[in-house]
Amino acid sequence: MERDKFYEIFDKTILPFVEQLEENNPKIRRRDLTECKANIYDEYMTLNRTYKSQIFDKDADTVLLDRHKIAACICGAFLRVPVLDKTELVRHIRKTGQKVEVVFYYVNELVAFFAATKFLSFFMILEHEGQDRVVREILKTFPLMPPTTKNKKGFWNSVLFNLSQIKDEKQIGTEHFDMYAYAMFFFWLENYFYERVAA
């Protein structure tokens, strides 16, 4: 993906989401998004090249990754370059012991997941160009939350918790982000969507 296209999707889709999160919690501050955007794209390209070099025998620059692998690289890039500073929020929680909605505690993980699904949906829409019903459903409902069986916290909370463990150096660390597993994860999210909505 070229830098210009990445920036366009970031500005039209990711930026409004980041602004909405910031507006909903005054203890969360936006970082310098111009710098973040450039750094996220550089991280994305690094992960993209790494992915290509691992799965293709030929010159990695001449092949393209499928959209699920791209979504995994996007997710990893956003994890490595957080766009929101939650220092004040964490300080407030420690000082007061006051609980906050999980979404704010895992706000950068939420942005990473949101960005990955939005970039994935962009490519899904390109594939279904001219199929207005499917495109509308993608825009309106992708991704859908698959059911959980014994987990009472729900699917999205589990996803955000798992992504937070990747960012935790004592757990996994972003240098060990498993983009191969997340590519499969995004494939199954898309597959579940088509089974439930767009079949």
Side-chain angles (χ1 to χ4, degrees):
M1 178 186 329
E2 297 297 322
R3 187 179 293 269
D4 289 346
K5 179 53 72 179
F6 176 87
Y7 281 13
E8 179 185 345
I9 295 171
F10 185 99
D11 291 342
K12 288 182 179 176
T13 308
I14 312 306
L15 177 58
F17 185 68
V18 169
E19 290 171 341
Q20 182 182 3
L21 288 169
E22 186 181 35
E23 287 169 10
N24 283 299
N25 192 317
K27 296 194 176 355
I28 293 170
R29 299 275 183 253
R30 190 178 344 168
R31 297 182 189 272
D32 178 346
L33 291 187
T34 302
E35 183 180 335
C36 285
K37 185 166 52 172
N39 291 339
I40 291 167
Y41 182 78
D42 292 343
E43 286 291 342
Y44 160 74
M45 289 304 294
T46 298
L47 289 169
N48 187 293
R49 281 190 297 273
T50 301
Y51 209 134
K52 287 177 182 179
S53 69
Q54 293 296 318
I55 61 173
F56 296 112
D57 292 335
K58 50 189 167 186
D59 182 17
D61 290 332
T62 63
V63 293
L64 298 174
L65 294 178
D66 68 44
R67 60 180 169 252
H68 313 104
K69 293 174 181 68
I70 289 171
C73 293
I74 291 287
C75 187
F78 273 85
L79 288 174
R80 289 182 177 183
V81 183
V83 296
L84 291 164
D85 182 350
K86 61 180 189 177
T87 306
E88 190 178 333
L89 176 69
V90 171
R91 190 178 301 129
H92 176 74
I93 292 169
R94 286 184 179 151
K95 182 179 176 184
T96 66
Q98 185 179 23
K99 293 183 179 182
V100 297
E101 288 183 55
V102 141
V103 70
F104 294 116
Y105 192 73
Y106 297 133
V107 72
N108 284 306
E109 292 81 0
L110 177 61
V111 172
F113 180 72
F114 177 83
T117 59
K118 287 304 168 188
F119 277 86
L120 175 55
S121 70
F122 169 79
F123 290 108
M124 290 166 64
I125 288 167
L126 285 179
E127 182 177 307
H128 294 285
E129 197 170 20
Q131 299 173 353
D132 294 344
R133 185 188 71 80
V134 177
V135 168
R136 274 194 309 276
E137 288 297 334
I138 292 168
L139 289 169
K140 187 171 84 174
T141 61
F142 183 79
L144 292 175
M145 180 176 69
T148 56
T149 52
K150 303 200 184 228
N151 182 342
K152 291 185 168 56
K153 295 200 181 271
F155 186 81
W156 297 139
N157 283 343
S158 296
V159 169
L160 297 181
F161 175 79
N162 292 342
L163 289 173
S164 75
Q165 300 312 295
I166 291 167
K167 290 184 68 178
D168 186 343
E169 294 299 324
K170 295 176 186 165
Q171 294 288 327
I172 299 169
T174 54
E175 71 277 10
H176 301 301
F177 172 68
D178 191 340
M179 57 192 166
Y180 313 103
Y182 273 90
M184 287 301 298
F185 173 78
F186 290 116
F187 169 82
W188 285 111
L189 275 182
E190 181 179 347
N191 191 64
Y192 180 76
F193 168 79
Y194 287 132
E195 283 179 0
R196 295 290 179 239
V197 173

